[in-house]
Amino acid sequence: MVYASADEWLNAPHKRVLVYGMSGLGKTYLSNMLRDAGDWFHYSIDYRIGTRYMGEFITDNAKAHAMKVPFLRDLLMSDSIYIGSNISFHNLTPVSAYLGKPGNPDKGGLPIDEFRRRQEQFRGAEISALQDTTYFIDRAEALYGYPNFICDTGGSICEWVDGENPDDPLLTELSARCLLVWIKGDEAHTEELIRRFDRAPKPMCYQPEFLDKVWAEYLEENACNEADVDPDTFIRWTYAKALAHRKPRYEAMANWGVTVSANEVSRLHTASDFDQLIATALERAG
């Protein structure tokens, strides 16, 4: 690890961390808190995905829908209007809206092959954004003078790495420059995340093998075909299975850094609080 002890962390002139874990456990809360402290650069993987790697896909999809409306088509063809996504750190909806949900088009669903194609686009985009972390560490200091850096990852990072492989290329690259910090939830957190998702289901990215498995299981269990699938029902049905699928993958990544609990993160209010928590986590890691 880049910080071998609590003292080394506390005395480091440059603190660089990457936080990961299930969406909704405090990664962005923590990142915003540190950014507001004034000397932390916040690198959002999802924002980078939406602006650098999938921005054109998102905009072209919006244009394709607009082209179906004669009034808007005429304005687009004459360059009279501009269509773009208003993505921000606090509004990443354009990314999830583009990912979509598989199922009945009349209910807002996508054909499964198109859904798989967009999933693959996202997978490549997320890996590329993660690989940009080193560039942004250097850029944040050289261009803006930030001594400290936090990488706020998406919940699907665990799908693209193998924590049990000591030579995993992406984890090797990231851990060479950042302290990897797993924000771990307990069973109560998982139940709350499921309740929250059930109230407002949002598109997410799945490992291809996992998606193929749950899609086939859903069709068989409900004795339906692709055109009969209610998109929201499917992703609600899949969510708890996705969390269970990701849990051991997060656990395998834990050896690459330190672990803190979501409850510990929820009690943080200042950058100093965070420093002490990481020091404690390093001591626990031995």
Side-chain angles (χ1 to χ4, degrees):
M1 290 187 286
V2 290
Y3 307 101
S5 68
D7 285 342
E8 186 175 328
W9 160 261
L10 291 172
N11 294 316
H14 303 286
K15 295 181 171 66
R16 291 158 179 165
V17 298
L18 177 149
V19 291
Y20 69 93
M22 291 187 292
S23 296
L25 292 184
K27 297 189 302 292
T28 300
Y29 162 76
L30 178 59
S31 299
N32 288 335
M33 182 191 74
L34 293 177
R35 184 184 68 228
D36 291 345
D39 58 355
W40 282 83
F41 184 89
H42 175 193
Y43 175 52
S44 167
I45 292 295
D46 285 339
Y47 181 77
R48 179 70 168 169
I49 289 170
T51 53
R52 172 65 175 84
Y53 292 107
M54 294 189 71
E56 195 168 273
F57 299 146
I58 292 167
T59 300
D60 284 354
N61 184 54
K63 288 179 179 178
H65 283 278
M67 288 288 284
K68 297 175 184 177
V69 181
F71 174 73
L72 296 177
R73 183 183 187 281
D74 290 344
L75 291 174
L76 278 172
M77 294 299 290
S78 62
D79 291 329
S80 299
I81 60 172
Y82 169 80
I83 293 178
S85 67
N86 190 27
I87 194 168
S88 70
F89 278 18
H90 304 291
N91 179 20
L92 298 165
T93 302
V95 178
S96 60
Y98 176 75
L99 266 180
K101 311 163 190 176
N104 187 340
D106 293 337
K107 296 183 177 181
L110 293 169
I112 188 62
D113 288 341
E114 173 63 15
F115 183 71
R116 288 190 178 108
R117 187 180 74 87
R118 297 187 187 193
Q119 291 273 307
E120 180 60 22
Q121 289 175 336
F122 186 91
R123 184 195 68 82
E126 184 164 27
I127 291 172
S128 294
L130 287 164
Q131 290 171 331
D132 288 344
T133 301
T134 292
Y135 166 72
F136 272 91
I137 288 172
D138 296 333
R139 183 171 183 255
E141 183 179 3
L143 187 59
Y144 302 114
Y146 284 99
N148 305 315
F149 177 95
I150 182 167
C151 176
D152 175 10
T153 67
S156 51
I157 181 176
C158 65
E159 304 285 24
W160 325 128
V161 300
D162 180 3
E164 295 181 353
N165 177 8
D167 299 316
D168 182 87
L170 190 51
L171 289 175
T172 298
E173 178 181 346
L174 294 170
S175 63
R177 297 297 303 276
C178 300
L179 178 66
L180 272 58
V181 180
W182 178 26
I183 301 179
K184 182 180 180 180
D186 57 24
E187 289 304 316
H189 289 113
T190 300
E191 292 172 5
E192 175 56 29
L193 291 177
I194 292 171
R195 284 194 294 269
R196 192 185 307 171
F197 191 89
D198 191 62
R199 290 194 298 270
K202 293 170 54 179
M204 60 188 292
C205 196
Y206 310 104
Q207 190 182 64
E209 296 82 2
F210 172 81
L211 174 61
D212 290 345
K213 177 175 177 290
V214 295
W215 182 251
E217 287 178 357
Y218 184 87
L219 295 182
E220 181 178 0
E221 184 175 310
N222 292 275
C224 64
N225 57 40
E226 177 183 324
D228 298 324
V229 174
D230 181 284
D232 283 341
T233 301
F234 171 74
I235 66 170
R236 284 190 177 103
W237 180 87
T238 302
Y239 185 68
K241 300 177 187 298
L243 295 189
H245 161 77
R246 288 181 176 182
K247 183 180 178 182
R249 302 190 67 84
Y250 288 132
E251 290 173 347
M253 294 172 63
N255 291 330
W256 290 81
V258 298
T259 301
V260 299
S261 73
N263 287 330
E264 288 175 318
V265 169
S266 69
R267 293 193 292 266
L268 301 180
H269 298 291
T270 67
S272 178
D273 292 343
F274 175 72
D275 287 347
Q276 291 301 320
L277 176 59
I278 297 302
T280 299
L282 283 164
E283 289 174 348
R284 286 196 299 243

